[in-house]
Amino acid sequence: MRKIKEVMRLRFELQLGYQQISRSCAIASSTVHKYLKRAEAAGLSWPLPEGWNEDRVEAAIFPRSVPLAPQRPAKRAAPDYATIHEQLRTHRHVTLQLLWEEYRQANPDGYRYSRFCELYQRWRSKLDVVLRQEYKAGEKLFVDWAGATIPVHDPTTGRSWDAPLFVAALGASSYTFAIAMRDQQMEAWLRAHGKAFEYCGGIPALVIPDNAKTGVSKAHRYDPDLNPTYYNFALHCGFGIVPARPYKPRDKAKVENAVQVAERWIVAALRNRKFFSLDELNQAIGELLSKLNQRPFRKREGSRASVFEAVDKPALKPLPSEPFDLSEWTRARVNIDYHVAFDSSLYSVPYNLVHELVEIRSTAITVEILHKGVRVASHVRSRQRGQTITNAEHRPKSHLAHLEWTPSRMIHWAEAIGPNTARLFERILSDKPHPEMGYRGCLGIIRLAGKYSSQRVEAAAERALLTGACRYKSVESILRNSIDRVPPASPPPAATPPHDNIRGSEYFE
């Protein structure tokens, strides 16, 4: 599927270069150039009119009949690669597209754009690798979780838990930000980004994350799948996401170095202090962070803070006027018990959605479940693992009726037949390790009343209580053999107890 709209957004809204758009969209630079040239020829402008989807944009810029490209001339003037490289380094908004157009104005028979870029990249690859690590003002913010954690102690129980450290660094100035979070889940990931943007006072053009699940749903060298929640956050704030390639630490060397610096000057400096809350820990981190950014460079003039004020800060975009709706989206299939699994807990949905694929939107308080864009369930989010949250309205009627079976309800049904039947039910339920084990037997006796009459079942229950045969099979046998109609035999008279009263015995003799 073509990514024309995303290419236009990154080009005209974020002012990114062709190479950056190429990496973000996982397409060739020549394809980026082709999309933009065709969009210009089709008269399209950004933002697009309302209702223009990807298919309509594609149909507008890729008509059925495409004119053939002009034939390439035999000889072309070589570009001035050194001047091109210097222009790209010193001017943030200068792109290869602009430099190529200037080159073609001076050399109408010069190279086409794709060949121009190829030749420049070939020339650039022969330079010292250090030159490749120079960044434009306000362009990139590198983010990652540090490997080291800081313990936080519970003042009530005395137990401690490890707080992970989020680290961010701007490319041009190395201006560093760090904050401790509760965990490394999506909510903490986005909140840490927001705190980093507030600390810098603006939004960069690009954010370079690692391939953690909170940032990248499926890592891939050429075409990674971004986490939908993280992507929506980027759209809200107005920055692009270019994940580092898997197993390529040089793609985020800036933050790798920032993590090392933070572990040495923040984590190590706090090793002898004991913290009892996350706020207390972050206050201490903020004090050390200010000292870190003010620390002078060893091999050049200034500090991270001074370079940030002069280079990065003026180029950052303003912060969004409205806060981001911090909700997490995921998908799940409804299990046979009409529940979906989310965050180690189970949440119910209407039973007729069994085996259907649904979307789950979660916030810090609620969990909403949608099917084909329509909300079908809403629950209060559980913060305990292994919980099952069920709405009774989601159960089928047969399950609701089964749940209404309780020992007291069984005995109440038996009282409608007679007191002996009620006592028999009590005996059956009390003899079982769990009352539910006797439900089926009690229901069977109730059905016998419909077959033999309530009077006979009452008499059979009395006979069963006298003989101690308190089971469904015994009652059914009594009724089938009409034993309930036979009066019970009178118990034999009790024998006179023996005694040693000799005088008494002589008197009776």
Side-chain angles (χ1 to χ4, degrees), residues 397-435:
K397 293 182 179 180
S398 59
H399 290 193
L400 290 174
H402 176 76
L403 293 175
E404 292 177 354
W405 296 352
T406 61
S408 60
R409 190 177 183 89
M410 290 289 177
I411 297 172
H412 178 71
W413 288 346
E415 289 175 350
I417 299 176
N420 292 322
T421 307
R423 288 196 298 273
L424 176 63
F425 277 27
E426 292 178 356
R427 180 74 175 272
I428 293 174
L429 296 175
S430 63
D431 287 346
K432 300 294 182 181
H434 195 281

Side-chain angles (χ1 to χ4, degrees), residues 265-314:
W265 295 99
I266 296 179
V267 178
L270 299 176
R271 69 189 185 282
N272 296 323
R273 294 183 59 178
K274 195 172 184 179
F275 301 97
F276 296 96
S277 69
L278 199 60
D279 292 338
E280 181 184 358
L281 171 59
N282 282 322
Q283 183 177 358
I285 291 175
E287 296 172 358
L288 294 175
L289 192 61
S290 178
K291 295 180 180 179
L292 171 63
N293 286 320
Q294 296 289 343
R295 188 182 305 276
F297 291 125
R298 290 184 177 182
K299 298 182 179 181
R300 55 175 175 148
E301 295 182 357
S303 63
R304 291 177 175 84
S306 63
V307 177
F308 167 74
E309 292 290 337
V311 179
D312 273 329
K313 188 174 182 179

